């Protein structure tokens, strides 16, 4: 939690610098590129991170090191080939249609392409560290070094009055590269020694069968997360995107404890399930859900009573119009926090197909709602669509966890 708080503060300061220096229009271009990059990268790593955590944690529990090492090789091979293919297609598209973009948009798009393989590598690096039981060390570079370098880079350029959206994306890519390189070196020092002297065991059939639903599942989650930003960028203006992005980022304060708890709890859920310790798993999930929900209520109270003032003081008067979307999105995140760790529990216990059906339906519903509500309502329409989708989807996921596993994921139930 200390790491998450530090990361939140660094990220917030970097966002303030970006929002104030670029203005709503420039910050909108930056946010749009980051959102698009996060979506197009999905074929290269969607589901691999979750499967990496699950396979590594479960393999450690039963000392099946050959399978663990084999999976590592297979996963990195798949992600590398997919990343090269995606980057090649995007470079060809930029060369072909780049003249339709303004210089500012062109350089931002090029920076987004550079960022893609780094996002994939960073995702798998974090998953590796979680799987070997080092979640804190795994997230440390992502939580401290990456936002710290991003802040240093954009702050320096802003002071020199040279910050542009493309430069900001480039700084983001450079910070991610440092986190990846440092994290992989750290992993080599911490990896279980048993994985060094064992022959890898490959079971690609099993892994593909598990990966495909997980990939679709993550794709649905990312669609829910970024559909509002992308469709706002396509249907409205860059200024709207920039203002809305501030609201969306501030609303994530509601679940920052839940995100941190998930990093720690995920591998433990996989381990306890592999050991058939249902009672221990139930205690773990309820206790984690309670902490997450209490923190969410406290954060919502701050945003409700002081949100507009905070937007004006921190980001500037141009962003106070985002208070409506901010409160709507924050209310939706309260729903996410209340229904606890149901998505993580389902994924880490091999019930990803149940989550898949629910979240695919939710992502499709989210697209339809955004298309229907953004034209008449703008930012408010995007916020309503996303908040309703998130809260409803997590409620159904909690019900599915209860019926499929007999586990209660709500903070107000059971004995924690």
């Amino acid at each position: 939690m200390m790491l998450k708080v530090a990361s939140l503060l660094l990220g917030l300061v970097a966002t303030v610098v970006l929002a104030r220096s670029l203005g709503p229009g420039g910050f909108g271009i930056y946010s749009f590129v980051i959102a698009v990059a996060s979506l197009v990268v999905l074929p290269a790593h969607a589901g691999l991170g979750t499967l990496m955590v699950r396979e590594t944690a479960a393999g450690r529990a039963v000392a099946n090191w050959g399978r663990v090492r084999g999976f590592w090789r297979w996963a990195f091979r798949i992600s590398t080939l997919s990343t090269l293919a995606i980057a090649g297609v995007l470079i060809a598209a930029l060369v072909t249609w780049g003249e339709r973009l303004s210089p500012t948009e062109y350089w931002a798009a090029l920076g987004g392409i550079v960022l893609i393989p780094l996002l994939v590598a960073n995702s798998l690096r974090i998953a590796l560290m979680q799987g070997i039981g080092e979640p804190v060390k795994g997230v440390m570079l992502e939580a401290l070094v990456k936002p710290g370098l991003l802040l240093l880079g954009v702050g320096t350029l802003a002071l020199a009055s040279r910050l542009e959206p493309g430069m900001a994306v480039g700084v983001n890519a450079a910070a991610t590269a440092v986190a990846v390189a440092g994290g992989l070196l750290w992993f080599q020092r911490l990896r279980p020694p048993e994985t060094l002297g064992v022959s890898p065991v490959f079971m690609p059939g099993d892994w593909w069968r598990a990966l495909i639903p997980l990939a679709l599942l993550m794709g649905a989650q990312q669609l829910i997360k970024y559909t509002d930003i992308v469709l706002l960028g396509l249907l409205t203006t860059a200024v709207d995107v920039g203002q809305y992005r501030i609201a969306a980022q501030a609303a994530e304060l509601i679940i920052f404890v839940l995100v941190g708890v998930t990093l720690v709890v995920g591998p433990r859920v996989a381990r306890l399930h592999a050991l058939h310790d249902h009672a221990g798993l139930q205690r773990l999930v309820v206790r984690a859900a309670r902490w997450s929900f209490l923190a969410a209520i406290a954060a919502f109270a701050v945003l409700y009573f002081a949100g507009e003032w905070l937007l004006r003081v921190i980001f500037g008067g141009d962003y106070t119009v985002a208070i409506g979307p901010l409160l709507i999105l924050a209310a939706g995140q309260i729903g996410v926090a209340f229904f606890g760790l149901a998505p993580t529990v389902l994924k880490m216990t091999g019930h990803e197909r149940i989550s898949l059906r629910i979240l695919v339906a939710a992502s499709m519903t989210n697209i339809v709602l955004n298309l229907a509500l953004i034209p008449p309502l703008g930012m408010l329409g995007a916020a309503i669509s996303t908040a309703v989708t998130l809260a409803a989807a997590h409620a159904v996921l909690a019900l599915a966890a209860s019926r499929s596993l007999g586990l209660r994921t709500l903070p107000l139930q059971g004995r924690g």
Side-chain angles (χ1 to χ4, degrees):
M1 287 304 97
M2 292 175 64
L3 279 176
K4 294 302 294 183
V5 170
S7 176
L8 178 69
L9 292 175
L10 287 171
L12 176 61
V13 177
T15 300
V16 171
V17 174
L18 286 166
R20 285 185 171 272
S21 302
L22 296 175
F27 185 64
I29 294 173
Y30 170 83
S31 300
F32 182 78
V33 168
I34 297 299
V36 172
S38 299
L39 286 179
V40 300
V41 78
L42 289 176
H45 77 108
L48 272 178
T50 300
L51 194 58
M52 179 81 73
V53 175
R54 196 171 82 187
E55 287 289 321
T56 304
R60 287 178 63 235
V62 295
N64 192 349
W65 299 109
R67 176 165 174 154
V68 170
R69 188 175 184 185
F71 177 79
W72 289 352
R73 289 191 180 181
W74 179 83
F76 278 100
R77 187 181 305 148
I78 294 298
S79 64
T80 299
L81 294 175
S82 301
T83 302
L84 292 175
I86 293 169
V89 170
L90 292 176
I91 290 172
L94 189 61
V95 170
T96 304
W97 293 295
E99 61 184 17
R100 301 182 183 181
L101 304 175
S102 69
T104 297
E105 294 169 336
Y106 179 90
W107 288 109
L110 184 60
I113 295 174
V114 174
L115 181 62
I116 284 173
L118 299 170
L119 291 175
V120 174
N122 200 41
S123 172
L124 295 183
R125 173 194 68 79
I126 294 172
L128 270 174
M129 296 294 279
Q130 285 183 257
I132 64 173
E134 297 286 356
V136 174
K137 294 182 176 68
V139 79
M140 188 173 292
L141 292 173
E142 176 72 9
L144 299 180
V145 175
K146 181 180 174 181
L149 290 176
L150 177 61
L151 173 59
L152 178 63
V154 298
T156 301
L157 290 172
L159 289 174
S161 300
R162 296 186 58 187
L163 186 61
E164 297 287 342
M167 295 178 182
V169 177
V171 172
N172 192 317
T176 305
V178 173
V180 170
L184 290 177
L185 289 174
W186 206 349
F187 169 74
Q188 291 301 325
R189 296 181 57 186
L190 295 173
R191 65 183 293 177
E194 295 88 347
T195 62
L196 296 173
V198 66
S199 298
V201 175
F202 296 95
M203 304 185 70
D206 290 348
W207 296 332
W208 276 117
R209 282 190 291 272
L211 177 62
I212 291 173
L214 284 172
L216 293 173
L217 177 61
M218 182 178 177
Q221 291 173 319
Q222 294 295 90
L223 276 175
I224 294 173
K225 182 176 182 178
Y226 291 112
T227 290
D228 48 4
I229 295 288
V230 173
L231 288 181
L232 270 176
L234 296 175
L235 299 174
T236 62
T237 66
V239 172
D240 287 335
V241 175
Q243 292 169 335
Y244 181 85
R245 180 55 183 158
I246 291 299
Q249 200 158 345
E252 291 178 359
L253 287 168
I254 302 296
I255 58 166
F256 85 93
V257 171
L258 176 63
V259 173
V261 165
T262 299
L263 290 172
V264 178
V265 168
R268 296 184 183 182
V269 169
R271 181 177 181 276
L272 290 172
H273 180 70
L275 296 174
H276 305 289
D277 186 358
H278 187 274
L281 183 54
Q282 179 65 83
R283 288 192 298 271
L284 172 69
V285 170
V286 171
R287 186 178 296 121
R290 286 176 178 171
W291 280 105
S292 302
F293 183 62
L294 289 174
I297 291 295
F300 182 81
V302 172
L303 294 179
Y304 182 82
F305 290 107
E308 186 173 359
W309 177 80
L310 289 171
L311 288 174
R312 180 182 296 108
V313 170
I314 296 174
F315 297 102
D318 290 338
Y319 293 94
T320 55
V321 297
I323 185 60
L326 168 57
L327 293 179
I328 293 170
L329 290 168
Q333 297 288 17
I334 284 288
V336 173
F338 180 77
F339 293 110
L341 299 164
T344 299
V345 168
L346 289 169
K347 285 189 294 185
M348 291 296 150
T349 57
H351 290 77
E352 59 274 1
R353 293 182 183 274
I354 297 174
S355 297
L356 174 61
R357 291 193 294 269
I358 295 169
L359 290 177
V360 166
S363 65
M364 296 300 103
T365 302
N366 190 36
I367 292 173
V368 172
L369 287 175
N370 273 282
L371 288 173
L373 296 181
I374 287 176
L377 299 177
M379 291 188 291
L380 286 175
I384 293 169
S385 303
T386 301
V388 169
T389 301
L390 282 172
H394 281 77
V396 178
L397 287 166
L399 179 62
S402 177
R403 289 182 174 178
S404 301
L405 295 164
L407 286 171
R408 300 180 302 273
T409 61
L410 304 188
L412 305 180
Q413 294 182 357
R415 294 173 60 84

